[in-house]
Amino acid sequence: MKAPIDFYFDFSSPYGYLASHKIEALAKQHGREVTWRPMLLGAAFKMTGSMPLPQVPLKGEYAKRDFARSARFHGVAFRIPDPFPISTVSACRAFYSLDEKAIPFAKAAFKAYFVENVNIGEADNVLKIAASVGGSADISSQAVKDRTKAEVDAALAKGVFGSPYMVIDGEPFWGVDRFEQIERWLAAPF
Amino acid sequence: MKAPIDFYFDFSSPYGYLASHKIEALAKQHGREVTWRPMLLGAAFKMTGSMPLPQVPLKGEYAKRDFARSARFHGVAFRIPDPFPISTVSACRAFYSLDEKAIPFAKAAFKAYFVENVNIGEADNVLKIAASVGGSADISSQAVKDRTKAEVDAALAKGVFGSPYMVIDGEPFWGVDRFEQIERWLAAPF
């Protein structure tokens, strides 16, 4: 059995959202599972000295255009939510508090934010989304906070600095625009 | 006649180098010419608050791996030069001082730097490369300095913040990883 694909993303990342629509089919074609690993881009940005794309001069304007065009390119429903970006710590904690409902929650949270314009930065909305997929999320216990911090720290320790970020048998790929390379890599590393 | 594709790049950019191997064939398939427009990433980085990829924590290590893997993916000979990155102002001035030899010079300069490990940050090497394609480059006259500055300023004014950066009928595309989107766009904007 081949190792799962590690799929790191931030719930506030448009490119992470687009990747979430493609990763499972791609993995399945090559006999792989996907381990979903939400992380917090804010923590990574502190290490890289980056800031959210919309705040970067020149690049911010381009990014907004590229988000929407890339969504059309991949055939995925998308709008830039308002507000954007947001803190995703509640969504991240909810994910790590859920078991078999974690991935359904992640998909529902992405859809709520990037299609239905629901502010998933708000704890109440996160809990409602978890309930909508039959999950009972815990976002306030110390155990869940510790688990989430440990997951985010582990991602940073592995060098995860962006979203989406995929690791396949130790090989890292950053960006939904690396899916072509991933597809070839899964067939045969090059 | 359709408008040419504006192809912005920095001579020290690995992704710009990869794009230089693909842009002309792609344009030709869709009945377009390519206008090569070298610029200076350092000037763009001052506006965006960025720094050269190899200097960015986490991202720098990834970038070195991705440069080489992307070159293999596209089937283009590549090595990370030493030193890297460099100032490309001399190469940029040489380009804008040449007429029909400008594009052959650009290709030769990219090859010298990313295949033969020639330091194209050094003025002497730039002049030799121009001579090797039959060109007589001027990198020291005030007229050429002014022309180069005007070209770089015009690129920044158009929002060019990275390399490669392609503009097609007003639509901007950043990165060699946008060539898939460019290909579809040239067939029919989406």
Side-chain angles (χ1 to χ4, degrees):
Chain A
M1 186 64 192
K2 291 170 183 168
I5 296 174
D6 283 318
F7 171 43
Y8 296 92
F9 61 93
D10 184 295
F11 278 111
S12 186
S13 159
Y15 300 124
Y17 163 70
L18 297 182
S20 77
H21 279 258
K22 298 172 62 87
I23 188 80
E24 289 187 324
L26 183 57
K28 197 174 177 185
Q29 280 172 18
H30 296 275
R32 304 264 189 164
E33 301 286 324
V34 178
T35 305
W36 293 51
R37 297 188 180 280
M39 44 78 73
L40 299 172
L41 268 184
F45 286 174
K46 279 182 194 161
M47 294 186 72
T48 57
S50 301
M51 62 176 98
L53 277 171
Q55 297 172 20
V56 182
L58 302 185
K59 201 183 275 192
E61 285 309 302
Y62 172 83
K64 281 184 253 178
R65 191 167 186 144
D66 190 65
F67 294 157
R69 188 180 62 211
S70 294
R72 295 194 302 274
F73 181 74
H74 291 295
V76 176
F78 171 83
R79 58 161 289 166
I80 296 178
D82 179 30
F84 171 79
I86 51 169
S87 163
T88 55
V89 66
S90 293
C92 207
R93 286 176 181 162
F95 179 93
Y96 286 114
S97 81
L98 296 165
D99 288 321
E100 78 277 13
K101 298 295 186 188
I103 294 172
F105 164 78
K107 292 176 181 175
F110 265 144
K111 186 180 178 193
Y113 189 48
F114 287 113
V115 180
E116 296 155 6
N117 200 30
V118 172
N119 183 353
I120 63 168
E122 293 181 6
D124 283 358
N125 289 333
V126 166
L127 296 176
K128 279 182 207 159
I129 292 163
S132 77
V133 298
S136 179
D138 164 16
I139 58 174
S140 53
S141 77
Q142 194 59 45
V144 164
K145 290 178 182 176
D146 291 347
R147 165 79 190 281
T148 302
K149 185 175 184 308
E151 294 283 352
V152 173
D153 287 349
L156 296 175
K158 284 184 186 290
V160 177
F161 59 82
S163 167
Y165 191 99
M166 285 64 61
V167 181
I168 302 171
D169 304 335
E171 184 74 12
F173 297 87
W174 171 41
V176 67
D177 45 27
R178 285 295 174 280
F179 270 59
E180 269 194 298
Q181 292 195 24
I182 288 175
E183 193 160 9
R184 194 187 296 178
W185 190 275
L186 285 169
F190 55 89
Chain B
M1 187 61 193
K2 292 170 181 169
I5 296 174
D6 283 317
F7 171 45
Y8 296 92
F9 61 92
D10 184 295
F11 278 111
S12 186
S13 160
Y15 300 124
Y17 162 70
L18 297 181
S20 77
H21 279 258
K22 298 172 63 86
I23 188 80
E24 288 187 324
L26 183 58
K28 196 175 177 182
Q29 279 171 17
H30 296 275
R32 303 263 190 165
E33 302 285 324
V34 178
T35 305
W36 293 51
R37 297 188 179 281
M39 43 80 72
L40 299 172
L41 268 184
F45 286 174
K46 278 183 195 162
M47 293 186 73
T48 58
S50 302
M51 62 177 97
L53 277 171
Q55 297 172 19
V56 181
L58 303 185
K59 201 182 276 192
E61 285 310 301
Y62 173 83
K64 281 184 254 179
R65 190 167 185 145
D66 189 64
F67 294 157
R69 188 181 61 212
S70 294
R72 296 194 301 275
F73 181 74
H74 291 295
V76 175
F78 171 82
R79 58 162 289 167
I80 295 177
D82 181 30
F84 171 79
I86 52 168
S87 162
T88 55
V89 66
S90 292
C92 207
R93 287 176 180 162
F95 179 93
Y96 286 114
S97 80
L98 296 164
D99 288 320
E100 77 276 13
K101 297 298 186 185
I103 294 173
F105 164 78
K107 293 176 180 174
F110 265 143
K111 185 180 179 194
Y113 189 47
F114 287 112
V115 179
E116 296 155 6
N117 199 31
V118 172
N119 183 352
I120 63 167
E122 293 180 6
D124 282 358
N125 289 333
V126 166
L127 296 176
K128 278 183 208 159
I129 291 163
S132 78
V133 298
S136 179
D138 165 15
I139 57 174
S140 52
S141 76
Q142 194 59 44
V144 164
K145 290 178 181 175
D146 291 346
R147 165 79 189 280
T148 302
K149 185 174 185 310
E151 294 283 351
V152 173
D153 287 349
L156 296 174
K158 283 184 186 290
V160 177
F161 59 83
S163 167
Y165 192 99
M166 286 63 61
V167 181
I168 302 172
D169 302 336
E171 183 74 12
F173 298 86
W174 172 42
V176 68
D177 45 28
R178 284 297 173 279
F179 271 59
E180 268 194 298
Q181 292 196 23
I182 289 175
E183 193 160 8
R184 194 187 296 177
W185 190 276
L186 286 169
F190 54 90

